Amino acid sequence: MVMAKKRISSSIILLVLFLFSITFPSYAEIFPPSQAQTLRKIRKLLNIPTLLTNWRNSTDVCNIEPTQSLTVVCYEESITQLHIIGNKSTPSLPHNFSVESFFSTLVKLPTLKVLTLVSLGLWGNLPSKISQLSSLEILNMSSNFFYGDIPQEISSLSNLQTLILDDNLFTGRVPGSLGELPVLTVLSLRNNSLTGSLPSSFSSLESLRVVVLSANRLSGQVPDFSSLRNLQVLDLEDNYFGPQFPSLGSKLVTLILRKNRFRSAIDSELSTYHHLQKLDISFNRFVGPFPPAFLSLPSITYLNIAGNKFTGMLLENTSCNAKLGFADLSSNLLTGTLPACLVSSSRKRVARYARNCLATGDQNQHPYFFCRNEALAVGIIPSSHNKQRGAAKAKIVLITVGAISAAIALMGLIIFLVMRKENGKRMVRRPPSRVITENVSTGYTSKLLSDARYISQTMRLGALGLPSYRAFSLEELEVATNNFASSAFLGEGSHGQMYRGKLNNGSCVAIRCLKVKGRHSTQNFMHHVELISKLRHHHLVSSLGHCFECYLDDSSVSRIFLVFEYVPNGTLRSHISEGFAEQKLTWAQRIASVVGIAKGIQYLHVGIVPGVFSNDLKITDILLDESFVAKISSYNLPLLAENMRKVGGVSSRRSKQHSVLGRTTYQDKIDVYDFGVILLEVIVGRPITSRNQVTTLKEQIQVGITANDTVRRSIIDPVVCDGCSDESLKTVMDICCRTLSYEPSERPSIEDVLWNLQFAAQVQEEWGRDSGSNKNSPAFQVSTSQTGPWQLSIT
């Protein structure tokens, strides 16, 4: 009886256990312990973020309700999808984080098909062992801190369809092996520091639908994408691609080539792309006629061609697609009448067309001849349909230039002979010295006229609002300075004494007095004076004339007086890092100033022959006129050298590698570096007085470029922190760091610097207009009495 009871009891216990096992299956049966352990280790390696708090020992993660931050998808008791998305402002993981350990753990989930690890602070080199996740179809690891090269081993992921590595710190070249991925559909490597050209193997990726490579440093010709019949999105913004327009497939929906170096004519077939909805080719150097058909493409909703050299005549009856919501034609060379469809006051359409030569009084248009002259300057014949007329005009120009050259040469010879004869008669009755004035020819010498740039420059001399260069008499200068009274004295340096004066016509001038060492006739200095007389530019403190004072005994020159224009509003530093807060320049004004400086440097380098290099530029050498236009007040000329040892030569205070005139190896890059130091002070708003400061601040700027907006704005001058667009700020920061590269060969050309700064100015202007702020308008007006007298830099 007892035995029977024991048997019954045991049977009941077994039945209960059996029923319990059916009703409540074990965690191990629905989710392998090895994968559960892997997830727990991943949680630990990620520094136990709060969004993974649900990953506990007894939790069935496969059945956790998915959220925007965390999703786990399982199939047949294995994890196939893992999505972990943190906050964009997440800092990098601690120094004890090991990216190798993390991926060694991650590859223990071999059935993963979709892996998303976004904004988690992951940092380090992306390990090659990621290739062990052989089932991956989608990989997204954007907004982390991965650096170094993208591993070639990714190409072994033969099932990979989507690769997204945006917003990291990857450098080096785009791996050519990515072109071996047979089913790759989406490739996005936006906002890294990738360099070099794109591999030609991309031309064979027939499955590609989306290519996003914006905000890198990629260059060269874009591969032939014409065979990619499925390509719909191509975004190459903010790189160095060019110069030829890329070959593309006709199914494109979005094409963004903004801010590159394309300078060819645009592909005419683009006007037949019926699927194209967004076209942005702004801020390149495209030339040739603009196809009005772009406005009426069947699918177009966004069109931006701003900041190029497009020509052509628009007609009032040109039609637009009804869906076109944004059209920016500004800063080109377009003429004619603005299409009526762009004049519409509808709020659904934004149209911008400033800085063209259109027949409209709206949005700041240039005169017609501006566009014509600019088109000729870049080799575009505005009336391209009439080649014969263009050839005839070219002949007329050549004949005219020849005639002008001959006339100027003859005039110069006559003036020289006349003045030589008059020199002996112009003795001043004041021993022991006399004054001889020499007229500089109003034209250029025959040698200089052989360069076509001087022809156009001669025509522009009167455009600066300055009187013609002339010779002054000593009596005029004595009257202007009250006989060089102490009240007119501004200072003295190795380049002589500086005085402030006022001419009889009421104009203010600055007069530099140079004492000449050795005995030289006036003719020995005429070449130097000729060069100084031609250095006239909107962003240079230009010379208005000269005066020679000579010894009576042998008529050799004892002193040279150089008369400069007067610039009233002090130095750039006084309005950046030393002035009162209410006098500091806004961000838009600062960009305008550095654009002006860059234009001045470009003129010194390539606007004259030979170029003027190694100008030892400092922020205290940059002066602001009454309209706050920046002007360079000190540039490196032989006549301003400290010692004149022999006729036609100088002994510069710089080393031999800093040649005065003419370009030698990387001579232009010396001025680029000095400009970078000025730009650095403009950004941070603090005086920079040592190379150590430059190095430290450059490192901070480099961090700020890739950091979030809060970190970036903590670096810059607080005065402009709220008044600048983020894109404009990042552009200026980036070009600043590049100008300060240790190796001269790695510094950009002054043309590249100028282009980037003009882009930053355009972006800032658009931001100010779109936000409706007044932060782009001048914040103050400063009188001469507030900033003190103007001083030409004395070095």
Side-chain angles (χ1 to χ4, degrees), residues 221-473:
Q221 188 62 30
V222 178
D224 187 349
F225 286 158
S226 59
S227 62
L228 304 185
R229 303 300 180 186
N230 297 309
L231 187 62
Q232 296 180 4
V233 176
L234 179 61
D235 184 356
L236 304 180
E237 179 180 354
D238 194 7
N239 280 285
Y240 303 102
F241 288 115
Q244 297 299 317
F245 191 87
S247 299
L248 305 169
S250 59
K251 291 187 177 180
L252 276 173
V253 175
T254 298
L255 176 60
I256 303 176
L257 304 179
R258 175 184 174 93
K259 198 183 176 189
N260 276 278
R261 293 181 177 177
F262 296 104
R263 57 175 182 268
S264 64
I266 197 168
D267 190 347
S268 58
E269 290 188 5
L270 201 62
S271 59
T272 65
Y273 285 21
H274 300 310
H275 301 284
L276 195 60
Q277 296 178 11
K278 180 173 183 178
L279 175 61
D280 190 343
I281 55 176
S282 59
F283 297 103
N284 281 278
R285 303 166 190 178
F286 283 115
V287 297
F290 163 67
F294 284 174
L295 294 168
S296 57
L297 284 170
S299 304
I300 196 73
T301 61
Y302 182 102
L303 174 66
N304 192 346
I305 65 165
N308 286 288
K309 297 289 184 180
F310 284 120
T311 59
M313 179 175 290
L314 299 182
L315 301 176
E316 187 177 6
N317 60 357
T318 300
S319 61
C320 300
N321 187 322
K323 298 178 182 178
L324 182 62
F326 180 92
D328 192 343
L329 313 180
S330 57
S331 298
N332 280 284
L333 306 175
L334 302 174
T335 58
T337 305
L338 186 71
C341 60
L342 296 180
V343 183
S344 172
S345 59
S346 172
R347 294 184 180 180
K348 295 182 179 180
R349 176 172 295 164
V350 175
R352 296 173 181 169
Y353 42 87
R355 294 177 294 280
N356 281 285
C357 299
L358 298 170
T360 172
D362 197 15
Q363 294 196 17
N364 186 24
Q365 300 297 311
H366 294 298
Y368 169 77
F369 287 105
F370 173 87
C371 292
R372 182 179 182 82
N373 294 338
E374 287 290 312
L376 290 171
V378 295
I380 310 169
I381 305 301
S383 302
S384 58
H385 61 279
N386 194 342
K387 295 183 178 179
Q388 292 182 349
R389 187 171 70 175
K393 289 183 178 180
K395 291 180 181 178
I396 293 174
V397 170
L398 289 175
I399 294 172
T400 304
V401 169
I404 293 174
S405 301
I408 290 176
L410 180 61
M411 184 182 297
L413 178 62
I414 293 173
I415 292 175
F416 170 75
L417 293 175
V418 171
M419 295 307 301
R420 185 175 181 181
K421 182 177 180 180
E422 292 293 324
N423 279 341
K425 302 178 181 180
R426 297 175 63 182
M427 306 286 286
V428 179
R429 300 173 182 175
R430 51 174 299 184
S433 63
R434 67 173 184 171
V435 177
I436 297 180
T437 58
E438 297 273 355
N439 284 328
V440 179
S441 63
T442 56
Y444 289 82
T445 63
S446 299
K447 178 179 182 300
L448 298 183
L449 283 172
S450 63
D451 193 304
R453 282 178 290 190
Y454 278 93
I455 302 296
S456 59
Q457 178 61 19
T458 303
M459 296 176 179
R460 290 199 300 264
L461 284 179
L464 298 181
L466 296 175
S468 301
Y469 188 95
R470 68 182 181 90
F472 287 85
S473 68

Side-chain angles (χ1 to χ4, degrees), residues 34-231:
S34 60
Q35 294 198 30
Q37 185 178 0
T38 297
L39 291 181
R40 288 196 297 271
K41 188 170 183 181
I42 288 175
R43 176 173 175 262
K44 183 177 180 182
L45 290 170
L46 291 177
N47 207 26
I48 315 180
T50 55
L51 58 89
L52 301 182
T53 52
N54 288 334
W55 285 5
R56 296 192 176 94
N57 295 342
S58 59
T59 303
D60 179 3
V61 294
C62 286
N63 292 317
I64 293 178
E65 186 70 23
T67 65
Q68 290 184 346
S69 300
L70 177 63
T71 300
V72 179
V73 178
C74 302
Y75 179 74
E76 293 184 350
E77 302 181 359
S78 296
I79 298 177
T80 57
Q81 295 188 33
L82 176 60
H83 303 261
I84 311 175
I85 302 176
N87 192 294
K88 259 201 168 182
S89 60
T90 301
S92 59
L93 289 169
H95 291 294
N96 60 357
F97 170 75
S98 170
V99 69
E100 289 288 339
S101 298
F102 180 80
F103 276 90
S104 295
T105 304
L106 197 60
V107 297
K108 293 177 181 178
L109 303 175
T111 55
L112 274 178
K113 291 187 176 183
V114 180
L115 176 61
T116 301
L117 302 172
V118 175
S119 300
L120 299 178
L122 301 172
W123 61 271
N125 287 286
L126 185 58
S128 59
K129 63 181 63 177
I130 193 173
S131 61
Q132 297 178 30
L133 294 171
S134 57
S135 299
L136 272 183
E137 297 176 0
I138 298 176
L139 176 61
N140 182 358
M141 293 191 294
S142 57
S143 298
N144 284 292
F145 300 91
F146 290 112
Y147 53 77
D149 294 338
I150 297 173
Q152 299 275 354
E153 289 76 7
I154 286 183
S155 61
S156 65
L157 301 175
S158 58
N159 297 313
L160 195 63
Q161 299 175 24
T162 298
L163 176 61
I164 304 176
L165 300 175
D166 298 342
D167 300 300
N168 279 286
L169 306 172
F170 286 111
T171 56
R173 304 175 74 90
V174 177
S177 57
L178 293 181
E180 301 170 7
L181 293 170
V183 293
L184 187 64
T185 303
V186 176
L187 175 64
S188 186
L189 308 175
R190 178 180 53 207
N191 198 20
N192 283 280
S193 296
L194 299 168
T195 58
S197 58
L198 288 182
S200 58
S201 59
F202 278 25
S203 300
S204 60
L205 289 171
E206 297 182 358
S207 299
L208 268 183
R209 292 181 180 272
V210 177
V211 177
V212 180
L213 302 171
S214 57
N216 280 283
R217 298 181 180 181
L218 299 167
S219 59
Q221 188 62 30
V222 178
D224 187 349
F225 286 158
S226 59
S227 62
L228 304 185
R229 303 300 180 186
N230 297 309
L231 187 62

